[in-house]
Structures are given as structure tokens and as C-alpha cells.
Amino acid sequence: MFFSHKNQKEPELTITRCRRIPAVTSLKRAAVLAVATLLLFSCSSKPPKSLVTPLPPVAKQPLPTRPEQAKEPMRGVWLATVSRLDWPPVASVNVSSAALRINMQQKALTDKLDKLKNLGINTVFFQVKPDATALWASKILPWSDMLTGKIGEYPGYDPLQFMLDEAHKRGIKVHAWFNPYRVSVNTKSSTVAELNRTLSQQPASVYVLHRDWIRTSGDRFVLDPGIPDARDWITSIVAEVVAHYPVDGVQFDDYFYTESPGSALNDSQTFRQYGQGFSSKADWRRHNTQQLIEQVSRTIKQLKPDVEFGVSPAGVWRNLSHDPAGSDTRGAAAYDESFADTRRWVQQGLLDYIAPQVYWPFARQAARYDVLAKWWAEVVKPTSTRLYIGIALYKVGETSKNEPDWTVQGGVPELKKQLDLNESLPHIDGTILFRENYLNQPQTQEAVNYLKSRWGNTAAK
């Protein structure tokens, strides 16, 4: 949903090996003793374990019945924690005491929820796994450094449980939003050092536990989606949250295979190992993404059938120029770029909902909002999958040469047209705004006031 990075070379992983300490002069003895103590400690300590939650038997069981249709339209918002984009406050990480940090973070979240309630928002998509760290008490992932500045450091409370308690108190649902494959947002040497430091922690980072799963792609460390054990590991993480927290839903974003022109995923060896029987690497990659979605869907339904599972893919499945079933668009397509056959998942009943990111105005000829919204409405029409349209709150009020409509009258006419269309089509069940912090920006205030007049009154009834 965000970010572009320049290519960087992947740093080497370095882990200190146990070795003998040579004899030294008395002048150096104190320093060497200190080093020896650390080495002996690391040698005598048990290596960290890679914890994977046992999964329900998913291979041949049919999918249970989907949850009932929601009684009110989705009025949602994404709340991003990666790079502290929406929460927690950046300043909270640098305060003088843990108590002050906790207070700042919790107050910031409750303030946001109060505003969202007044706006008429009924669902928050809360990013609980921004990378290979967790915003809940996980036995598989270390605590997120977004909370304290250090990977693996206990933040003093459980953010997911706090969010669930406070949101549910206000009548707002919470979907746990996972970025499945991302391990880090960059490949800097400082990031590598921080990941390596988790080796002595329980749980340690997947970066040090399963170095053979890690690749560089889009200038980030990611898991290789072609490795079955890595997909099982991701599924177990989702299972952990669903089993232990009263979440209303689970959502994956659009980051499956995430390459950039200068930083492609090197999965040639994985393809040689697991790709027999596929005519192309592209087909094999789509199969891998399909496998993840299938096993996560079945696992959630077997643990808690009422928990909804959805995906928020790129707005374009395929372009008409590449596929007669595609949309009349010229945009980057999930099928070809992310190797995600999102239309198929809807047709197979693997998802309770799909939330395509239709981040363009009506006037953007390459990917018209109305063309895509209507195309998706036709896709879900014969299925039981609900359709929520993700719209580009982040563009409202921003000057754009290609999309000038976002600045006309504060973006209100464009926003109104999009919401009007969503409500007029019977197979569109709601709207999700990307993303929460843009509700607080000066350039969006006319649009926010419009949303409040449109949604807030409805919520109060």
C-alpha cells in the first residue's frame, strides 16, 4: 500500500562463532575477559527455537459456511503501524520513562478511536504485523520496534488487546491487518545488526532463525513465498492471533511478491527445488500465493468460523489488453505484478471479503474509478464474497498533474462521486479509507467534514 525504495546490496549475516581465547598480556587481560564472558555465555545458552503453532488439519476439509451478510455498510479505515505512519506517535519512543511512553501511545489510540467513532467509522484495519515483528504477545514473533525502538522489547502492555478493548467499547470492529512476507522495510547495516541481536531472545527474529528463507526484494528483506515451510510459518502466526484474540477479521495487504525493477526477488533456486510441473515461473509463483490464501482461509474458519478473512489487493486484477476477462484499464495488475490471482480467490469462496485499492479518480483514463468499481462488482456478483472498495484518502487535497480532481473544492466532489457510486451498486458493501492519519491533515479537512456529515449522522441513528 505504500513505499518505494532504491536498490541496495544485501548485507551478509554475521554471527559470532564459539572459539578459544588466546593467551594475552596482562594489559589486555581485562578487555579479553569481558569478551570471553560474552562468548562463553553465548556458547552455553541454548539456541533459540523456531516456534510454529500446530495447525488444524486443513488439507481436505471443506470450507465452513461464511459469516452472515453485514447489516450495515462497511465504513472502514486502515491504521498503519509500519514506520509509525499512523500510530504509535514517533515522539513516544523517545520519552524519558516507560510509563510516559505507554500513556502517550494509549491516549493517542483512544483519541483516534473517539474521532473515528464521531466520523461514523465502524471498522478499523489495524496493522498488527508490519514486518517480521508483532504488536501482540506472540510466541513466534518478537515485539515490534515500532513500540519501543528496539525489536523484542516488551512495550509494557499488549497493543492489540488494548485496541480490541477500546474499539469494541465504542462499537467499532477490528480486523488484524498482516503484511505476510515482509521482514524489514530496508536492508541497512543497522537493520541487519538489530535483527542479529535478536538471536539471544525468545522468540528470535525469523531473519536469524531461518536465514535460508530470507531474500532481498524491493530493497527489503522478505520471506521467499515459494518455500512451503515459510508459508506454514505465516499461517501459524495468523492462527496464533485468531486463537487468542477476539478479532473480528483478518486481512492481508497487497504485498505478496513485491519486486522493483532494480531489486527483483532471486527465487531461481527455490523454483528449481519446488517448481517442477509448472510451465513458467509466473504460474508457479501464482500457485504459491494461492497456497497461502487457501491454508490461511481454512485455518481461520476451523479455528473461529465467525472471524472474517479478506485481502486488499491492487485495484487492477488484469487489464483487458492481457485478458478478455480483465478490466478496461492500463494499470499495474495484481495477477502479473504480485502474482496474485485475486479474482480466482473470490470465485473459489476463499475470502469473506475483498477490498481492492481503487486509488484513482473518475477522470483517470488509465484506471477509471467507476470502471474498476463496476468490474469488481460483477466479479463478486455470483459469489458470497463481499466487496469493499479501498479509496485514496491520501490523495485528497494533494496537487497532481495527472489527477487534478483531488484538489477541486477540497476533493469533496470526487469523494462524493465515489461514495455515491459505491452506495448505488448493490454488490458493493462499503468503503475503506487509506489511511487514518490523513484524516488529521490540513488538506483533507473539507473532505473530512463532508464524511462526518454523510457517515456521522448515519452512525448516530
Side-chain angles (χ1 to χ4, degrees), residues 69-87:
Q69 177 73 35
K71 293 181 180 179
E72 64 175 352
M74 164 67 67
R75 297 186 298 271
V77 67
W78 280 288
L79 198 154
T81 59
V82 64
S83 302
R84 305 184 186 96
L85 290 177
D86 296 327
W87 184 88

Side-chain angles (χ1 to χ4, degrees), residues 355-366:
Q357 302 166 33
V358 186
Y359 290 164
W360 305 280
F362 274 66
R364 189 67 190 268
Q365 292 302 318

Side-chain angles (χ1 to χ4, degrees), residues 42-222:
S42 66
C43 294
S44 62
S45 300
K46 292 182 179 179
K49 294 179 180 178
S50 174
L51 296 173
V52 177
T53 305
L55 301 178
V58 298
K60 297 181 180 179
Q61 295 187 16
L63 285 167
T65 306
R66 296 278 148 201
E68 291 184 11
Q69 177 73 35
K71 293 181 180 179
E72 64 175 352
M74 164 67 67
R75 297 186 298 271
V77 67
W78 280 288
L79 198 154
T81 59
V82 64
S83 302
R84 305 184 186 96
L85 290 177
D86 296 327
W87 184 88
V90 175
S92 69
V93 179
N94 301 314
V95 296
S96 57
S97 73
L100 185 57
R101 172 179 50 76
I102 293 167
N103 181 265
M104 283 181 66
Q105 292 182 358
Q106 293 185 343
K107 186 177 187 306
L109 201 54
T110 53
D111 285 350
K112 287 179 183 295
L113 288 170
D114 287 339
K115 289 181 180 179
L116 294 176
K117 174 73 173 175
N118 291 334
L119 189 63
I121 295 292
N122 58 27
T123 309
V124 174
F125 297 83
F126 182 47
Q127 193 174 34
V128 298
K129 183 185 176 293
D131 44 36
T133 63
L135 276 83
W136 72 93
S138 176
K139 293 182 179 179
I140 306 171
L141 300 175
W143 282 106
S144 178
D145 54 322
M146 295 301 101
L147 302 164
T148 64
K150 294 180 181 178
I151 296 177
E153 183 173 320
Y154 174 51
Y157 70 109
D158 186 326
L160 175 55
Q161 188 61 58
F162 183 80
M163 165 62 99
L164 287 164
D165 291 342
E166 294 297 326
H168 287 166
K169 194 186 301 180
R170 292 164 174 79
I172 296 173
K173 293 181 178 180
V174 177
H175 287 225
W177 162 18
F178 295 78
N179 184 293
Y181 289 114
R182 185 163 57 211
V183 174
S184 68
V185 296
N186 60 58
T187 58
K188 295 177 182 177
S189 57
S190 58
T191 299
V192 173
E194 189 172 3
L195 291 167
N196 283 341
R197 277 194 291 271
T198 69
L199 186 61
S200 61
Q201 299 174 4
Q202 288 280 14
S205 172
V206 67
Y207 184 89
V208 294
L209 292 176
H210 297 289
R211 192 64 184 88
D212 55 318
W213 296 357
I214 308 297
R215 304 287 180 266
T216 301
S217 178
D219 299 309
R220 306 164 189 169
F221 292 128
V222 299

Side-chain angles (χ1 to χ4, degrees), residues 230-244:
R231 297 195 298 266
D232 290 345
W233 184 80
I234 292 166
T235 306
S236 76
I237 290 167
V238 176
E240 182 182 54
V241 169
V242 173
H244 295 107

